Amino acid sequence: MTQLFINIKELIQVRETSVQKVSGNEMRVLPTLKNAFLRIENEVIKDFGSMETLGDIAADATIDCSNQMILPTWCDSHTHMVYAGNRAQEFFDRIHGLSYEEIAKKGGGILNSAKQLEKTTEDELYQQSAKRVKEVIAMGTGSLEIKSGYGLTVQAEIKMLRVIKRLKETFDLPIKATFLGAHAIPAAYKNNKEGYLDLIIQEMLPTIAAENLADFIDIFCEVGYFDLKDTERILVAGKKYGLSPKIHVNQFHSFGGIQLAVNHAALSVDHLEEMTTEDIEALKNTQTMPVALPSCSFFLGIPYTPARKLIAANLPLALATDYNPGSTPSGNMNFVVATACIQMKMTPEEAINAATINGAYAMGLANQVGSISKGKLANFIITKEIPSYGFIPYSFGNPVIESVYLKGKKQ
Ligand code: NIG
Ligand code: FE
């Protein structure tokens, strides 16, 4: 089936030759075509160009996009959207003055989610999570990474990863699974962190690898969670099963996690709210994508990732939601893009690059999604009538999306 989208006011993020990622000054450039057409065949992008060059092309369906724009769907490279229930009570506690770290120390936080998840059946967990996936698709997300990490037992981690596998099989968007067994030390191992790491390495990883349940490995490298030695152990163990690292690092403290991640060829380092000059230096000339999660900073009231410093150092930057029940109960990439512009002073061009092509890179999906390029998946957003793409972050919180297509199918 061929579909032809015509009179597109502006076709955004058009890349004739598909790039893997954009860095530094390149991020300021967002290639677009005005008054354009887009032709898709079945699941993929076949052709695009200016309306003047469109000959007499037959199509099974022709869709007029006058006054509307088309851009690739958002690539959300960091989420924890498979979880049970919610943590609204902790939100109220924070309003009353407790910090995220204080709540975690009281047995709230990740351990609270683990308790709720344990009581939830695999099917119920799937239902709750599928609802979230549908919601984020409606908000323009067309590729996703989802982490485990609220199980913290062999059985419950596998339950989470099987749910992610079922989501992969059900939905029309690429989903990558990340094993985050080292998200927190479970209550049963309170004074035995080494024992828990042994469990991850000796029991969880082999089972997960045997069932092919994970694409990447992650760890919460943070004071009070896992230190550099633990991180090294987990990354080395993951590598034995071919799992590239994508790690939580520098959320509250900077203590060498980035340097370690880079030495282990991490695909991405995520959070980065606390960045020293040395941390920025360590990322130069590497293949590791820095990932900022501005909704998390917004929700917790912690610093934003210093995007300007990273970009000035000629580094790339990706934007993702961090959708999870504790620090970011929101999977809205439109809000992420707006917040990156408003709070991190990224330009709309930089933010859109960060939320599309660079996000795709951070999931190893740059050949499939992240730009309007021939041969890539026909995953794109048709906007409402908006005057410019800068209107997307400018009119923050307002709906700008008319429809979302995944693999050529209107959602
Ligand atoms: O990325 N920081 C670690 N993990 C999540 C939050 C987990 C939670 O609070 O449930 C994050 O912010
Ligand atoms: Fe996270």
Side-chain angles (χ1 to χ4, degrees):
M1 152 130 173
T2 320
Q3 297 178 81
L4 187 61
F5 298 81
I6 56 167
N7 300 322
I8 305 162
K9 180 173 167 160
E10 197 162 359
L11 185 61
I12 298 157
Q13 187 64 301
V14 185
R15 305 266 175 185
E16 278 286 351
T17 37
S18 172
V19 293
Q20 292 292 303
K21 59 177 166 24
V22 283
S23 312
N25 284 342
E26 293 164 355
M27 288 188 70
R28 278 193 223 155
V29 182
L30 183 66
T32 73
L33 267 178
K34 290 194 171 141
N35 192 26
F37 74 88
L38 173 68
R39 191 161 65 86
I40 66 179
E41 206 173 285
N42 301 323
E43 298 188 350
V44 299
I45 297 171
K46 243 352 210 195
D47 199 10
F48 51 79
S50 124
M51 280 304 285
E52 281 111 65
T53 65
L54 176 67
D56 220 0
I57 293 174
D60 300 313
T62 302
I63 298 104
D64 184 20
C65 298
S66 296
N67 297 318
Q68 294 173 296
M69 304 200 173
I70 290 187
L71 68 153
T73 46
W74 305 125
C75 302
D76 191 353
S77 65
H78 181 137
T79 87
H80 309 246
M81 69 168 78
V82 168
Y83 62 83
N86 64 76
R87 305 224 300 269
Q89 184 54 50
E90 294 178 9
F91 171 56
F92 308 138
D93 292 344
R94 277 201 304 107
I95 291 172
H96 289 114
L98 286 184
S99 72
Y100 179 79
E101 285 154 304
E102 284 164 346
I103 290 166
K105 275 201 191 111
K106 285 195 344 173
I110 296 164
L111 298 189
N112 178 356
S113 286
K115 238 183 264 164
Q116 298 188 55
L117 189 130
E118 202 182 352
K119 290 185 284 192
T120 308
T121 65
E122 189 171 315
D123 195 56
E124 173 57 23
L125 186 62
Y126 171 79
Q127 300 304 338
Q128 291 187 25
S129 308
K131 199 166 152 237
R132 295 182 196 115
V133 175
K134 279 185 204 144
E135 278 167 6
V136 302
I137 290 172
M139 293 189 285
T141 296
S143 54
L144 268 181
E145 180 257 18
I146 311 178
K147 300 171 194 297
S148 72
Y150 293 124
L152 312 181
T153 65
V154 180
Q155 231 182 3
E157 281 296 306
I158 286 172
K159 174 162 77 180
M160 286 189 81
L161 289 163
R162 285 192 184 138
V163 167
I164 302 174
K165 186 174 179 199
R166 194 166 153 200
L167 295 169
K168 284 188 186 192
E169 290 161 359
T170 312
F171 287 93
D172 263 330
L173 76 172
I175 297 179
K176 292 284 189 178
T178 300
F179 171 50
L180 175 56
H183 197 190
I185 299 149
Y189 287 83
K190 197 166 182 259
N191 298 312
N192 182 14
K193 187 176 68 174
E194 292 307 319
Y196 184 55
L197 289 169
D198 290 343
L199 183 78
I200 293 176
I201 294 166
Q202 285 153 24
E203 295 193 37
M204 294 186 189
L205 262 173
T207 321
I208 288 161
E211 280 193 48
N212 201 10
L213 289 173
D215 302 296
F216 303 113
I217 189 142
D218 193 350
I219 179 165
F220 190 13
C221 178
E222 185 52 67
V223 174
Y225 293 83
F226 297 97
D227 61 22
L228 291 180
K229 208 169 119 261
D230 307 331
T231 305
E232 173 119 49
R233 266 192 87 188
I234 291 293
L235 299 195
V236 168
K239 205 172 281 176
K240 288 205 181 104
Y241 296 98
L243 303 178
S244 300
K246 279 171 70 64
I247 78 165
H248 281 76
V249 73
N250 290 45
Q251 181 174 6
F252 300 108
H253 303 91
S254 162
F255 56 91
I258 292 182
Q259 290 75 353
L260 184 68
V262 159
N263 289 340
H264 286 275
L267 181 59
S268 71
V269 282
D270 303 35
H271 271 290
L272 318 181
E273 288 88 342
E274 298 294 337
M275 291 292 278
T276 63
T277 319
E278 292 72 37
D279 293 328
I280 292 177
E281 268 319 295
L283 284 164
K284 288 185 180 170
N285 304 313
T286 73
Q287 295 304 311
T288 302
M289 176 65 70
V291 180
L293 310 165
S295 299
C296 174
S297 299
F298 175 82
F299 191 71
L300 294 186
I302 60 176
Y304 287 87
T305 302
R308 290 266 52 98
K309 282 191 190 161
L310 289 161
I311 294 171
N314 206 28
L315 293 173
L317 184 63
L319 288 166
T321 61
D322 199 18
Y323 193 1
N324 76 73
S327 72
T328 322
S330 161
N332 189 339
M333 281 294 285
N334 306 283
F335 179 78
V336 165
V337 168
T339 308
C341 295
I342 298 162
Q343 299 289 347
M344 294 158 65
K345 307 293 174 214
M346 291 175 76
T347 65
E349 291 80 9
E350 288 169 336
I352 293 172
N353 274 319
T356 55
I357 190 66
N358 284 358
Y361 177 92
M363 293 183 271
L365 286 173
N367 291 329
Q368 285 181 56
V369 288
S371 64
I372 303 290
S373 305
K374 287 173 202 167
K376 281 198 180 180
L377 290 178
N379 288 16
F380 55 86
I381 295 168
I382 305 186
T383 69
K384 292 183 184 297
E385 295 192 5
I386 53 173
S388 65
Y389 59 73
F391 212 76
I392 299 172
Y394 163 77
S395 64
F396 79 98
N398 291 336
V400 287
I401 295 176
E402 180 72 39
S403 51
V404 176
Y405 282 73
L406 297 181
K407 293 191 178 166
K409 275 187 263 167
K410 190 171 173 180
Q411 300 297 300

